Amino acid sequence: MKKLNRLKWVVAIAAAFFVGTTFTSEVSAATINNDYALSSNQGSSLRTSNNVVIAHATAVYAPARNVAIFENRTWYSNGAYVQYIVGDGGKIYRVGSEGYQAWGAGSWANANAPVQVELAQTYDQAEFRKDYVTYVNLLHSSAVKYGIPTTVDSSAWRGVKSHLWITNNVWGDHTDPYGYLASHGITKAQFAHDVKYGFSSSGNNVNPTPTPTPKPAKPTNKKAVHVTYALHQKGKKWLNPVKDFGSGSNGFAGVPNSVHDMLYIKVNRGSIKYRVHTIEDGWLPWVHKGNKNDTVNGVAGIKGHTIDGVQMYYTTPHAETYQQAYYRSQTTQRANYLGICADNGTVAGYDSFAGMLGEPLDRLQIDVDDSSNY
């Protein structure tokens, strides 16, 4: 059954999209590629309420053009597509039509988002920079165009929302785009700032974060904190412990593509508390000790139950430089590490726990420091 989409102005909007015209008159036009746009008798015929603009990342390292081709070809069979895909060095590909529902983040999000934007993933930092500027400006300008606040992931039900916000507040299990942005050094706070103000045609932020006036340096008393941790492979044995983190097979706890059921963590100074989430039980109680031989008080987890989430909090000894637990994980269901976490969600710009609920955690990295080293 075909779904009619009666957008009289689709040709006009497809011709050109002026990025950020509301915040600077010097921004050049960014042409939209319509080669893979759905035709007038494809896609949803339902109009949207104009409450949110949704920011996605594709979760695959593939050209944006390929993603657009795939969504165009499988929009009906997969039931998934968005209005725009950004990538390939700052290009924009249109699939769905603005103002009509796309199928990108569940029924509530689809009904309230006149624009949803996917960011294609690349390992190339120079290409990412071009993509990021275009992505940010498209999100910003779309919000302004539809009278939507340009604030990102606020508690209000209007504004620019990440797919993670939709997951946390409405429905779903996606955490994009933060893990990918973090892989290129963009924090949640930086992303929110950039989307709020947008970029000029030179690629500079229109309202850059002011450089604070240097303050007299305070004497520091930073001590090296080493964290030792290990995972128990489900149905097998305890794996060798890991100290801090590094590269290669010794740089993380766990076995790739394997399932784990118990975890212990200990530090050489200060204290750390931690807990795990299992598919069978949800979040289990906090553990304050790290001893694999004490499965009651020294280990988080239940033997035979699959860990899919980890959370921790480090307490710095009195009079020492404040330090935190920075950690990240992978799952058996996807490549690459998820977003970086800092303590138990109290640090702005970082995820609140490691893992993707419902997906077995297959490796874990932890570092205790006064800033992230990932």
Side-chain angles (χ1 to χ4, degrees), residues 225-229 244-245 263 265-267 269-275 286 310-317 321-329 339-354 364-374:
V225 180
H226 297 294
V227 54
T228 301
Y229 53 106
D244 302 327
F245 81 99
L263 166 72
I265 306 172
K266 57 185 178 180
V267 290
R269 62 185 307 106
S271 63
I272 193 165
K273 68 175 183 178
Y274 57 101
R275 63 177 181 171
W286 290 98
V310 175
Q311 191 176 54
M312 64 192 75
Y313 188 87
Y314 175 74
T315 299
T316 306
T321 301
Y322 182 62
Q323 300 189 76
Q324 296 158 320
Y326 293 91
Y327 54 107
R328 62 181 184 175
S329 68
I340 301 170
C341 311
D343 278 349
N344 62 349
T346 59
V347 184
Y350 291 92
D351 288 343
S352 60
F353 70 89
L364 177 68
Q365 289 186 321
I366 309 173
D367 182 46
V368 175
D369 211 325
D370 58 353
S371 62
S372 173
N373 289 311
Y374 297 111

Side-chain angles (χ1 to χ4, degrees), residues 117-197:
V117 185
E118 288 273 13
L119 178 60
Q121 299 189 181
T122 177
Y123 293 107
D124 187 285
Q125 185 65 25
E127 181 176 326
F128 168 79
R129 176 62 185 175
K130 295 177 182 178
D131 294 345
Y132 180 68
V133 169
T134 300
Y135 178 63
V136 163
N137 281 347
L138 182 53
L139 293 168
H140 176 101
S141 298
S142 297
V144 172
K145 175 179 179 178
Y146 288 97
I148 297 170
T150 59
T151 50
V152 176
D153 287 356
S154 71
S155 59
W157 287 82
R158 301 190 75 242
V160 178
K161 304 298 183 184
S162 67
H163 203 160
L164 174 62
W165 189 94
I166 301 298
T167 293
N168 289 340
N169 292 276
V170 186
W171 171 89
D173 61 0
H174 289 230
T175 63
D176 52 304
Y178 291 120
Y180 172 60
L181 294 179
S183 73
H184 284 281
I186 302 295
T187 65
K188 289 181 180 179
Q190 183 66 51
F191 178 60
H193 174 274
D194 294 341
V195 171
K196 182 176 182 179
Y197 297 108

Side-chain angles (χ1 to χ4, degrees), residues 38-103:
L38 299 178
S39 63
S40 60
N41 65 343
Q42 295 176 310
S44 174
S45 62
L46 299 175
R47 298 298 294 261
T48 62
S49 297
N50 302 330
N51 291 312
V52 295
V53 172
I54 300 177
H56 300 268
T58 59
V60 294
Y61 284 83
R65 176 178 176 272
N66 290 9
V67 177
I69 292 171
F70 180 79
E71 289 194 4
N72 174 278
R73 186 177 71 246
T74 65
W75 72 272
Y76 188 81
S77 59
N78 278 354
Y81 69 95
V82 297
Q83 281 85 5
Y84 296 112
I85 296 104
V86 172
D88 301 344
K91 295 179 181 179
I92 303 173
Y93 299 88
R94 186 173 70 83
V95 179
S97 295
E98 285 192 21
Y100 282 77
Q101 293 189 22
W103 299 339

